Structure formats: structure tokens, C-alpha cells
Amino acid sequence: MKVCFKASRHVRTGLVALAMATAISSVCVPVAWARDNANSGTNDLIAQLLDRVSTLEQQQRDMRGEIDQLTNELQQKTAALSKQIADNQFAAQANAGAAGASTAAASTDTTPKEDAKPTTPDGLLASGKVALQKKDYAEAQSDAESALKNAKGAFKVDAQFLLAQSLAGQKQYRQSAVAYYDAYRQAPKSGRAPDALLGVSASLLALGDKKASCEALSKLKAEFPTPSARVAHAAEVYAKRGSCE
């Protein structure tokens, strides 16, 4: 009985130890497994986060590159637009300067243009005087007759005198004598009157009517006893040709 008791105690002790070992083993194994699983999950999460951060950083770099490109393009377009505006302003100023120069040149040019026939009395007179200088007596007559339609005052006297000159230039002396006398009659006290009387005398002298030519010179001397040197010299020449006393 004693031996059996001892054996049983040893067996019992071994069983207890085995049970404890089994219990410890059953506890340690799940804990280690849980720890390994936790570490594995953490590592996967970190890897995912790192990958996500890397992706976001790459996207940010791409966006920064696109922004830089757009900024450069905007600056280039702005510079081009500014240059275009400056060029247009310069061209406009140049055109305005050229137009002003053309206007100034046109305003100082008093020569009548063939393609722009004047219509005012003063314009027609200017055109007729130029034609008279060119010995285009028919054109001078036309301008004088057109000016006489609307001319008044001194313009009318000048137009009448121009008509007489153009007729004399065409050797229409009878008509020129009448035209010269009309110029004198319109303004007998004007500065044009002595020249008009000279014209009458010259036209009559050309017609061979010396008596009438001398009468015109006598009228000139009576009304203008102190004429200009030019008029006095012309009167002396005509008096000699007409054998005036």
C-alpha cells in the first residue's frame, strides 16, 4: 500500500506538471501568433501609407511642373501681347505724324491741282493767274469768267482784270479794251485802276487806234498824277508809240 501511494504521488505530480506545461504552452502559442499577426498588419499599413505618401508627392511634383509650364506660357503670351500693343501704338503715332505732315504740305501748297478744280472766287483767281503765267490764256479766261459769277469787292475787280489780261493774251484786243475799262470803272480809286487804264491804252494801240490810246493815257495822268515808277514808265512807252502830245 505504501509503495502504491508513492507511485501514485509521483504519477500525480507528473500529471500536474504535464498539465501545467500544456496550459502554458496553450497560452504562449496564441500570444506569439497574435504578436506576429499584429506586426505583420502594422508593416502592411506602414507600407501602404508610405506608398500613398509617395504617390501624393509625385502628384504634387507633377502639378507643380504643370503650374510652372502654365506660368511660363502666360508670361510669354503677356510679353507678346505687350509688344503687339506697343507696335500698334508706334504704328498709329507714325501714321498720325505722316498724316500731319501731308496735311501741312497740302496747306502750304497753293498750286491748283488738275484733278481738284477750285470753285471759290479766290481759288479760281489763283488758278487763273497760274494759267496766265503759263500762257494758257484760254484756261485763264475760263477761270476769270467762273470767278466773276460769285466774286464780290476786290475779288470781282481782280477777276475782271484777269479776264482782260487773258483776252489780250489771245489778241482779242477789242474785248480786252472793254474788259480793262470795266475793271477801272468798278474801282476807279483802287490800286488796280492805273493798271486797268494802261491796259485800255495798250489794247487800243494794238488795234491801231492811237487817238483813243492817247486819251486813255491822258485820263491816267489826270487821275493819277503821281503813279508808281512802273506805271509811269509804261505810260511813257505807250505815249511814244501812239505819238501822243
Side-chain angles (χ1 to χ4, degrees), residues 1-26:
M1 292 292 294
K2 185 177 183 180
V3 173
C4 291
F5 171 75
K6 289 183 179 178
S8 297
R9 188 178 57 183
H10 286 296
V11 171
R12 192 181 301 117
T13 302
L15 291 173
V16 172
L18 178 61
M20 292 178 63
T22 301
I24 293 172
S25 176
S26 63

Side-chain angles (χ1 to χ4, degrees), residues 220-231:
L220 171 61
K221 184 177 181 180
E223 295 188 11
F224 300 97
T226 56
S228 64
R230 178 182 58 79
V231 172

